[in-house]
């Protein structure tokens, strides 16, 4: 072999990679396994945090909260003397049930994104905790959203909401009507008067199409058995929710109004009495029946008087439930300057407890027949209050703060207790349910950063090992 050939072979061998020993491979694989183990451990840690922490943040519970057990046992129901705007993101009834509510209320300007229209605030009877329930409708508490006598259930369009569990139940369809609205609870909570309604869009003379009710059917629903008894067809032009119907103290007698006709019927649909009332007169509200069950309370609007900033006055008067004749009761002073007056019930001393709807400054005077309802529109302020009408004036029972309250309903058991207490207003800022979402989002972001950091570190180390890898001699 010539020296030139020998030199050429040496150069060729020098270009062949050196053999790496088994020990070298093991030493090289060790750090790789360790870094992969670190990344896997990070993923497992994040998953464990999700399993352990997320349910606490989200508020999952295997059983409903027993927050109100003491209040239920004591039976001491009372009314907060003020309420405020619920927090944006306050707990929903489904997330945090409560045993019962002393009252519910609504407004239209709580929040702008998303709008609060359709949200009902319930104030827990055992500590003034605020809960929200969504209806999907532009409802007003005391009109299209009504609270049962014991404060345990809220009826809204097409559904019942049980506050103790947060569960919902659909209202029955009345004579095939497309929607069902609640109008009155019986005192024992066994029955609910409902109205089934149908409607369609009707073209107006100006060319505008307006949704118009075409049919309304009144019925009584036996909640326990599910039995539905049709009572009567109503004039769809005079469905004044909140002033439409009321159960008597016995829970089996219902008074309702259609047009100017008031009818008293039994729960099985048998009409007992019927009489006509003057124009501008309506059943006074869910507290229409006098405490002794003999009379009905009517509310009448007068468009007067010179010197009044808002020329509308309201008068309550009691009539015989059988004949419609006036009963000899103590006279009550007219309530001046109000958009509307609605009777909620009777205090222990016999004073009628009413909700007063106040007008916006310079608003036009409206009556029951106005489009969209008497309490709905730019003419009504969001500062409705609740007072007891006494011989020498009024006794304030409940008010809203910061234009918080538009519609209101109070549990009958709370009204008859005659008790009030200083209301505990909700705190400012974002509510706990949205804070929970923010915490959960923070956990997800932290998890993503941890995993990304572990993978990035592993990638950097692998690149470094490639650069520093040396060829081991054979």
């Amino acid at each position: 072999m010539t020296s030139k050939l020998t030199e050429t072979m040496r150069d060729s061998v020098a270009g062949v990679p050196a053999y790496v020993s088994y020990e070298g491979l093991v030493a090289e694989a060790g750090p790789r396994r360790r870094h992969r183990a670190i990344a896997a451990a990070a993923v497992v840690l994040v998953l464990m945090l999700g399993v352990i922490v997320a349910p606490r943040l989200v508020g999952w519970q295997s059983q409903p909260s027993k927050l109100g057990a003491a209040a239920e046992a004591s039976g001491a129901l009372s009314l907060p003397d003020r309420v405020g705007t619920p927090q944006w993101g306050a707990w929903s009834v489904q997330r945090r049930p409560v045993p019962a509510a002393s009252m519910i209320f609504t407004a239209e300007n709580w929040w702008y994104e998303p709008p609060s229209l359709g949200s009902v605030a319930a104030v827990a009877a055992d500590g003034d905790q605020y809960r929200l329930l969504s209806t999907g409708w532009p409802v007003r508490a005391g009109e299209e959203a009504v609270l049962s006598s014991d404060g345990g259930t809220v009826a809204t369009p097409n559904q019942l909401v049980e506050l103790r569990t947060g569960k919902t139940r659909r209202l029955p369809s009345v004579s095939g009507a497309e929607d069902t609205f609640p109008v009155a609870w019986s005192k024992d909570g066994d029955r609910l008067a409902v109205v089934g309604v149908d409607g369609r869009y009707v073209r107006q003379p100006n060319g505008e199409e307006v949704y118009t009710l075409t049919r309304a059917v009144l019925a009584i629903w036996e909640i326990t058995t599910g039995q539905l008894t049709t009572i009567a067809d109503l004039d769809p032009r005079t469905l004044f929710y909140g002033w439409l119907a009321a159960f008597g103290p016995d829970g089996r007698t219902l008074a309702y109004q259609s047009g100017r006709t008031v009818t008293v019927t039994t729960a099985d649909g048998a009409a007992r009495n019927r009489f006509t009332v003057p124009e501008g007169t309506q059943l006074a509200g869910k507290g229409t029946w006098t405490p002794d069950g003999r009379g009905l309370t009517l509310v009448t609007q007068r468009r007067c008087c010179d010197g009044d900033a808002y020329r509308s006055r309201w008068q309550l008067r009691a009539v015989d439930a059988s004949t419609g004749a006036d009963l000899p009761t103590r006279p009550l002073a007219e309530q001046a300057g109000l958009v509307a007056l609605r009777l909620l019930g009777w205090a222990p001393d016999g004073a009628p407890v009413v909700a007063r709807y106040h007008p916006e400054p310079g608003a036009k005077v409206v009556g029951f027949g106005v489009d969209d309802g008497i309490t709905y529109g730019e003419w009504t302020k969001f500062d409705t209050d609740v007072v007891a009408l006494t011989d020498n004036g009024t006794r304030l029972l409940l008010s809203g703060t910061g234009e918080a309250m538009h519609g209101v309903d109070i549990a009958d058991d709370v009204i008859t207790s005659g008790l009030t207490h200083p209301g505990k207003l909700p705190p400012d800022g974002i509510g706990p349910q949205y804070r929970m979402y923010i915490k959960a989002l923070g956990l997800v972001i932290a998890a993503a950063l941890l995993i990304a950091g572990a993978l990035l570190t592993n990638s950097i180390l692998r690149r470094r090992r490639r650069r520093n890898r040396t060829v081991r001699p054979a």
Side-chain angles (χ1 to χ4, degrees), residues 13 47 242 341 349 358 369 414:
V13 171
L47 292 176
L341 187 74
D349 61 0
H358 299 272
V414 173

Side-chain angles (χ1 to χ4, degrees), residues 41 47 58 80 121 151 187 212 318 322 327-328 366 396 403 414 417:
L47 292 176
V58 177
K187 302 297 182 183
T212 304
S322 300
L327 290 177
V366 297
L396 181 63
E403 291 194 337
V414 173
S417 76

Side-chain angles (χ1 to χ4, degrees), residues 93-383:
V93 170
Q94 285 72 27
R95 290 287 191 187
R96 289 289 190 274
V98 293
S102 60
M103 59 167 293
I104 60 174
F105 65 105
T106 52
E108 297 171 41
N109 64 340
W110 285 338
W111 322 291
Y112 294 97
E113 289 295 337
S116 60
L117 195 65
S119 292
V120 178
V123 182
D126 62 343
D128 290 358
Q129 302 95 351
Y130 282 60
R131 297 291 185 266
L132 294 177
L133 58 97
S134 179
T135 68
W137 291 77
V139 299
R140 290 152 287 189
E143 297 180 55
E144 300 93 349
V146 291
L147 182 63
S148 62
S149 295
D150 63 357
T153 309
V154 180
T156 66
N158 294 325
Q159 70 174 2
L160 290 182
V161 181
E162 186 182 65
L163 300 183
R164 183 178 58 84
T165 63
K167 295 180 179 179
T168 62
R169 181 178 177 185
R170 188 166 180 82
L171 297 183
S173 174
V174 181
S175 298
E178 58 183 347
D179 292 303
T180 304
F181 282 67
V183 292
W185 283 96
S186 64
K187 302 297 182 183
D188 55 14
D190 291 340
R191 299 172 184 84
L192 180 69
V194 295
V195 173
V197 297
D198 284 320
R200 59 185 176 86
Y201 283 93
V202 176
R203 185 175 297 276
Q204 305 300 306
N206 61 1
E208 181 182 4
E209 289 193 346
V210 177
Y211 186 79
T212 304
L213 292 180
T214 58
R215 185 172 71 117
V217 183
L218 177 68
I220 294 178
W221 183 37
E222 303 279 348
I223 296 176
T224 303
T225 65
Q227 179 182 346
L228 186 70
T229 302
T230 301
I231 301 300
D233 289 333
L234 304 179
D235 183 350
R237 299 168 299 176
T238 60
L239 290 182
F240 306 136
Y241 296 111
W243 293 267
L244 181 60
F247 275 100
D250 63 1
R252 294 192 54 82
T253 306
L254 181 74
Y256 68 91
Q257 183 169 346
S258 180
R260 293 175 53 194
T261 301
V262 172
T263 303
V264 177
T265 183
T266 60
D268 57 9
R272 287 184 175 176
N273 310 299
R274 186 176 284 114
F275 56 87
T276 302
V277 298
E279 190 72 34
T281 297
Q282 199 72 24
L283 293 177
K286 73 170 186 174
T288 283
W289 288 84
T290 57
D292 59 11
R294 291 181 53 241
L296 299 174
T297 308
L298 307 178
V299 63
T300 300
Q301 181 188 37
R302 282 204 308 138
R303 302 289 186 90
C304 71
C305 298
D306 291 341
D308 287 357
Y310 186 81
R311 302 182 64 177
S312 171
R313 293 192 176 189
W314 297 88
Q315 178 74 58
L316 294 178
R317 65 186 181 93
V319 299
D320 189 288
S322 300
T323 64
D326 286 337
L327 290 177
T329 57
R330 66 184 187 187
L332 294 169
E334 279 188 325
Q335 301 297 299
L338 299 177
V339 172
L341 187 74
R342 186 165 56 85
L343 179 59
L344 301 176
W346 302 83
D349 61 0
V353 175
V354 298
R356 303 189 302 178
Y357 297 83
H358 299 272
E360 289 283 0
K364 65 177 181 179
V365 179
V366 297
F368 279 115
V370 69
D371 291 342
D372 295 328
I374 189 171
T375 63
Y376 189 84
E378 68 277 6
W379 49 81
T380 306
K381 291 179 69 175
F382 302 122
D383 65 348

